[in-house]
Structures are given as structure tokens and as C-alpha cells.
Amino acid sequence: MMKIAVCIKQVPAYSDGMMDPKTGVMLRDGLESILNVYDLPAIETALKIKEEVGADVHIFTMGPSKASAVIREAYSMGADRGYLISDKSFSGADVLATSYALTQGMKLVEDYDLILCGKQTTDGDTAQVSGAIAKWLKIPHVNWVTKIVGIEKDSITVSQMMEEEIVTLKIPYPCLLSVEPSIFIPRLPSLKLKIGSKKKKIEVLSLVDMEDKEEGNYGLAGSPTKVERIFPVHRTEQQKIIEKDSREAAKYILEVIENINK
Ligand SMILES: Cc1cc2nc3c(=O)[nH]c(=O)nc-3n(C[C@H](O)[C@H](O)[C@H](O)COP(=O)(O)OP(=O)(O)OC[C@H]3O[C@@H](n4cnc5c(N)ncnc54)[C@H](O)[C@@H]3O)c2cc1C
């Protein structure tokens, strides 16, 4: 039977999060959280494949303990098993450290035939975690996937939406796909599965479980990205209409931007 892993993330429900002014890390405590909407089509894709050819669908999320809520949501859609990658030393991770922890976690459980990710998240929004996971695992990665054309025994054929054309690709397993929201309309959670999901086990994978136990490779310590300065956007209703020719307007805009950072 095919083994599929789906990576999903819990994100703040709104974009006005509080930031730690020193570290530039989002302070998520107290914020309402939801499942990243772009990850719902990834779960749906896995479930459609499961219905068509049979598959074991495993969910992976990295986050604090409350992130287990998104795994329960995936259970109520039909996912089989869920893994929460969680440890104090995993917090404050950038793309490199996030993708590394997810890769380490997945490697502990199975050699997956197919890994599915969403297009991007609504908080970090880098759209790079999926590519980075594929790089760690040394497997092919296809993004902007809009259609599953065929599921074969040792490969999958998909449509990829490029800027001006649609490309059809046949990719051997193991591989990673980042799916576009248009690929499938996510199903609503089933009441029966929702009730069952409350009792379903979620396995927690922490630093002690990982093959690489070096704390410095995870979280803030393992993140080369350093946020230099972070500040809330000052919202104002004020409007100024300035009329200038294009060169003068460009000069003026540059001055305004330079002054923002002073
Ligand atoms: C203000 C601020 C600035 C930041 N700047 C940077 C920066 O410049 N560079 C940088 O590398 N990081 C940065 N980060 C960290 C970043 O936001 C993320 O925490 C981390 O890099 C994950 O990437 P993403 O959210 O952009 O995911 P994306 O790459 O947008 O997500 C793509 C897909 O990967 C999967 N995925 C992503 N995260 C998880 C997860 N935790 N668990 C399971 N699946 C997941 C999902 O399928 C998702 O749809 C910043 C954070 C903040 C708060």
C-alpha cells in the first residue's frame, strides 16, 4: 500500500500577530489558531489518492502542543495517523530548521512514497519549506501542482501550472508535491470521524526521538535567518496626493521608503 505523508501547519487566524521585538519571532500564545487553509487541498489530495488506489495517510505538523488540533482536523477528514513534531528547542525555526525537523520526523516513521505540502502558509508565507524538505531527502519536488493525471505503481503523473503553460510530468516515487488550492475542493469533516478523532492517538516526536539529537540544528539556534528589525505597521487613514512626473515620483517614493527605516 502507498505511504503518503502530508505536512500541515497551524497558523494564527489573523495576520495582526504580536512579534517579539528582540528575536523577531511571532508570539503565538493567546492568538486564535487555525489550520493553514492552503494545507486543506494537500490533505484532500492524499485522501483522493487513498480512495483511488489505497494508501496510508500520515499527517505531520511541527509546532507547540496545541498544534495537535490541526491533526485532529485532518483525522476528521479521514487521515490515518498523525505526528506532532514538538520540542522547546524547535521553536523560532526558519525555513531551514523547519524543513530539517520535519524531515527528521518523517524519516523516523516511514520511507514515504509521496509527500504532500500546501502551496504556502498564511503566516511565514515563504513557500520554501516543501522544496527544502525535498532537498534534505534528495527526492524530486514539483510545485504549482493543479491536477493528478494518473497514479501508477512506481510513479505519479501531474499537471503543473507554469506562468504561461501547463506542463504534464511523470515523477517516480519517492517524490514531493506542493499542491495549488485549485487541485481539489477540500471535503468537510465527517461527524462520525470527528467524534472518533477525539480518541485517536497523536504521536509526539521530540528532540530525544530524532536521529540527529544536536540541539543547535533545530529552532532558533539552527536558523541562519536573523530578523534584523521588526515593527508593527502604523495604520493611518491619512492620504496625500502628490503629482509629479515619473522620474520625480520615483525619487520621492525612494525618499519616503528610506525614511521609514530611520
Ligand atoms: C516576521 C517573521 C519573519 C520571518 N522571516 C523569515 C525569513 O526571512 N526566512 C525564513 O526562512 N523564515 C522566516 N520566518 C520563519 C517562517 O515564518 C516560518 O516559521 C518557517 O520558515 C516556515 O515557513 P513558512 O511558514 O513560510 O512555510 P511555507 O514554506 O510557506 O509552507 C509551505 C508548506 O510547507 C508545509 N509547512 C510549513 N511549515 C510547516 C510546519 N511547521 N509543520 C508542518 N508543515 C509545514 C505546509 O505544507 C505548507 O503549506 C519568519 C518569521 C517571522 C514571524
Side-chain angles (χ1 to χ4, degrees), residues 143-161:
N143 50 12
W144 310 308
V145 173
T146 51
K147 195 174 170 190
I148 305 293
V149 179
I151 308 154
E152 295 88 38
K153 206 168 167 279
D154 49 10
S155 66
I156 187 159
T157 306
V158 301
S159 292
Q160 180 191 42
M161 180 72 86

Side-chain angles (χ1 to χ4, degrees), residues 44-189:
E44 184 61 35
T45 304
L47 297 175
K48 284 274 191 312
I49 295 172
K50 177 180 168 172
E51 281 158 6
E52 199 168 323
V53 296
D56 226 2
V57 175
H58 295 180
I59 303 292
F60 286 84
T61 192
M62 184 180 90
S65 55
K66 70 170 187 169
S68 57
V70 297
I71 297 179
R72 299 229 177 268
E73 212 172 320
Y75 280 163
S76 66
M77 290 171 74
D80 298 299
R81 277 159 67 183
Y83 298 88
L84 172 68
I85 299 174
S86 194
D87 195 288
K88 253 200 154 87
S89 53
F90 297 166
S91 67
D94 68 358
V95 165
L96 192 77
T98 302
S99 59
Y100 189 64
L102 283 166
T103 304
Q104 283 285 311
M106 284 189 275
K107 274 166 75 174
L108 278 180
V109 184
E110 286 284 353
D111 287 330
Y112 290 99
D113 302 300
L114 180 65
I115 300 173
L116 292 163
C117 285
K119 173 195 169 84
Q120 65 194 76
T121 62
T122 51
D123 62 342
D125 201 3
T126 61
Q128 290 176 357
V129 166
S130 49
I133 295 172
K135 181 94 173 121
W136 287 118
L137 290 170
K138 297 190 176 75
I139 60 172
H141 168 224
V142 180
N143 50 12
W144 310 308
V145 173
T146 51
K147 195 174 170 190
I148 305 293
V149 179
I151 308 154
E152 295 88 38
K153 206 168 167 279
D154 49 10
S155 66
I156 187 159
T157 306
V158 301
S159 292
Q160 180 191 42
M161 180 72 86
M162 299 298 270
E163 214 160 287
E164 284 177 2
E165 61 257 323
I166 295 168
V167 182
T168 303
L169 296 155
K170 186 173 181 159
I171 319 121
Y173 305 128
C175 62
L176 188 151
L177 307 177
S178 304
V179 301
E180 289 290 302
S182 62
I183 190 162
F184 290 116
I185 297 170
R187 69 196 62 193
L188 290 171

